[in-house]
Amino acid sequence: MYLALATMALLLATFILFSQPAAASAMSSLRVSAVGSTQSIQLGLNKSVIIDLPRDVSEVIVSQPNVAGAIMRTRKRAIIQGVSLGETNVFFLDAQGRQIAVIEISIVNDAATLSAALRRIVPTSNIQVDSFGERIILSGTAQSTDDINKVMAIAAQFAGGEDNVANVITIFGAQQVMLKVTVAEVARETVKQLGIDLSASLSLGDLTTGLLSAPPLGGASGVISGSTMSAGFSAGGVSIDATLRALERRGALRTLAEPTLTALSGQEAEFLAGGEFPVPVGVDNGVITFEFKEFGIRLKFTPTVHSNGIIGLEVDTSVSEPTTEGGFNAGGITIPATRQREAKTSVQMQAGSTLAIAGLIEDKVRQQFNSLPGIGDVPILGALFRSRDFVRSQTELLILVTPYLAQPGGQARLPTDNVNFSGDAEAIFLGHMEKLYGVGEGAGPGQYSGSIGFVLD
């Protein structure tokens, strides 16, 4: 009984062994024990395998000689060589034409060679390679998208194109990048105007003559309003009136934006803080057609996480605003122009480090004189017959970019989660919009002195 069970187990193991295809990378020889059996093997391209047969072979038939070739070294030993990718089978027959063995052969890319190359070039990844003819399946784990791109490029060269490569690799490293951007713009403008409007008249009997000199202001700055001071003199037939117009104006404007974006490695993220204004583009049967043009602070960035922790960034940011400078009027419609500053760059940096894009300074000086010809060029006295319009504008733009590897954190809380509005008495008599509360007199660890509460601007 025990002998019968052992014989059955041996036959079952032999059946399982010969029913499974042998891997080409794990074998260099194959022994065929059972006469008339059929076996399947995988053989790497340009590789060979030795076949030992149980009987003398008189005839060998290869169905696809361009895929594999068979060479008989002895009457019982053959060598099969992989010539090109594909599938074929080899028949071994004896002198009576009876079948000794049939070998089903699949010639595939040598996965062992590709695996060794990937381990050497991308040591931080664990990639498994499986070959099916000219097709390759990549599985396992990689640390970043950058590593996967490298693996795909190598495998595509090995398999003859990306269409022959299937990628099922799992990324186990951080793949989301949070980009914090600070855009600060400071604009300063100085306007100075000085002009004299002079009018005089002289009457002699029936003869009356006069002089009027009013040089215009606002040609350079666009500002036509200002302070005026008038004086007049009249004696007999002589009348003189003078009006002094003067303006000095200084202005400063600060624009600050701190957008924060998160994007997957290799994917683009975009942000716009601003709006749109209509611009007429055509007229059809009295109907004006408009297009909307964006303005404000725009940010585009594409991150790439490398296996060594370096983050590659492609940053494209711009700051734009409507302005009357360069605009024009058409059909009673004022069409503004756009002042725009852009910065584009590609860098590689550590997570948490900051890239500063500075030096974007714009300095404009405009000055215009209007005078009465001839007399306006006379020193000192000519100041009564001319006007000066001066404007200087300076704009400086600073952009700070800081990337971080995004990791899962706790639940986010809103600034208004703990707001506690004041009661009627506190709101009426003290003018408080929120309820204030104290936390003790001391200033020890975890304590604050004074009235502490929620502040709403």
Side-chain angles (χ1 to χ4, degrees):
M1 179 178 180
Y2 293 106
L3 181 60
L5 291 175
T7 302
M8 292 178 61
L10 180 60
L11 292 175
L12 180 61
T14 303
F15 173 77
I16 294 175
L17 177 63
F18 288 105
S19 62
Q20 294 180 347
S25 59
M27 65 175 301
S28 59
S29 63
L30 175 65
R31 179 177 295 275
V32 180
S33 301
V35 176
S37 63
T38 300
Q39 297 191 30
S40 300
I41 63 172
Q42 283 187 351
L43 186 60
L45 183 62
N46 299 323
K47 301 294 183 178
S48 300
V49 63
I50 299 175
I51 307 294
D52 290 321
L53 301 164
R55 290 184 182 178
D56 292 344
V57 176
S58 297
E59 186 177 1
V60 178
I61 301 175
V62 181
S63 60
Q64 296 292 334
N66 59 334
V67 175
I71 301 175
M72 297 299 302
R73 294 292 298 170
T74 65
R75 301 289 296 242
K76 292 184 178 181
R77 171 167 288 189
I79 298 177
I80 298 179
Q81 298 175 332
V83 178
S84 63
L85 299 177
E87 295 183 352
T88 185
N89 51 13
V90 181
F91 294 86
F92 294 96
L93 306 178
D94 58 12
Q96 287 75 32
R98 292 173 297 185
Q99 176 180 308
I100 300 176
V102 177
I103 307 299
E104 299 287 344
I105 303 173
S106 178
I107 307 300
V108 298
N109 283 310
D110 191 2
T113 303
L114 179 58
S115 297
L118 295 179
R119 285 194 300 269
R120 184 178 67 257
I121 299 174
V122 192
T124 57
S125 300
N126 182 19
I127 308 297
Q128 285 80 44
V129 181
D130 294 308
S131 296
F132 296 92
E134 60 181 6
R135 310 279 179 168
I136 292 177
I137 298 179
L138 302 176
S139 59
T141 58
Q143 190 171 356
S144 65
T145 305
D146 182 57
D147 285 350
I148 293 182
N149 294 335
K150 294 178 182 177
V151 169
M152 286 294 295
I154 297 171
Q157 294 292 326
F158 188 83
E162 292 186 357
D163 294 339
N164 295 330
V165 181
N167 175 20
V168 291
I169 301 175
T170 302
I171 302 176
F172 65 87
Q175 290 305 298
Q176 292 191 127
V177 177
M178 181 183 70
L179 191 70
K180 182 178 180 181
V181 178
T182 300
V183 180
E185 182 186 26
V186 177
R188 296 178 292 272
E189 186 179 55
T190 301
V191 178
K192 294 181 181 180
Q193 290 180 346
L194 180 62
I196 296 178
D197 294 344
L198 184 64
S199 63
S201 63
L202 176 63
S203 298
L204 297 173
D206 295 334
L207 176 63
T208 302
T209 182
L211 171 67
L212 177 62
S213 175
L217 288 176
S221 63
V223 180
I224 59 175
S225 61
S227 302
T228 61
M229 184 176 63
S230 300
F233 171 78
S234 179
V238 179
S239 176
I240 300 175
D241 293 321
T243 302
L244 176 67
R245 294 180 297 163
L247 171 66
E248 183 172 355
R249 185 178 70 180
R250 292 185 178 91
L253 174 66
R254 186 188 75 167
T255 303
L256 179 65
E258 293 184 340
T260 300
L261 290 178
T262 302
L264 288 174
S265 178
Q267 301 295 322
E268 184 184 71
E270 185 174 353
F271 170 87
L272 173 64
E276 296 180 339
F277 64 92
V279 177
V281 295
V283 179
D284 185 11
N285 295 327
V287 178
I288 301 177
T289 304
F290 292 88
E291 286 186 359
F292 286 88
K293 187 173 182 179
E294 294 180 347
F295 70 92
I297 298 175
R298 173 178 290 280
L299 168 66
K300 292 182 181 180
F301 86 102
T302 303
T304 302
V305 181
H306 299 275
S307 57
N308 56 1
I310 299 295
I311 300 176
L313 283 179
E314 294 183 4
V315 182
D316 182 1
T317 182
S318 64
V319 178
S320 60
E321 59 181 341
T323 178
T324 57
E325 298 180 9
F328 63 95
N329 294 325
I333 300 175
T334 301
I335 303 175
T338 303
R339 180 187 293 115
Q340 184 163 337
R341 285 163 297 281
E342 296 183 355
K344 296 181 181 180
T345 184
S346 298
V347 296
Q348 290 187 351
M349 53 199 305
Q350 292 281 356
S353 57
T354 300
L355 168 68
I357 304 175
L360 302 177
I361 301 176
E362 182 183 19
D363 191 353
K364 292 183 178 180
V365 177
R366 298 184 300 277
Q367 188 168 215
Q368 180 174 321
F369 284 92
N370 294 288
S371 64
L372 187 67
I375 193 171
D377 299 330
V378 177
I380 302 177
L381 182 62
L384 299 175
F385 301 93
R386 66 173 175 259
S387 67
R388 178 190 181 222
D389 192 9
F390 172 83
V391 58
R392 181 174 186 177
S393 59
Q394 293 178 322
T395 303
E396 183 175 0
L397 182 65
L398 174 65
I399 302 172
L400 302 177
V401 179
T402 306
Y404 298 94
L405 290 176
Q407 301 289 348
Q411 183 179 2
R413 299 182 63 86
L414 296 175
T416 56
D417 285 348
N418 297 323
V419 62
N420 189 5
F421 292 101
S422 60
D424 293 340
E426 193 173 7
I428 295 174
F429 295 106
L430 299 180
H432 292 166
M433 296 181 62
E434 302 81 30
K435 184 176 180 60
L436 300 179
Y437 55 90
V439 290
E441 299 293 335
Q447 293 185 339
Y448 304 89
S449 60
S451 297
I452 310 300
F454 186 89
V455 178
L456 182 64
D457 293 335

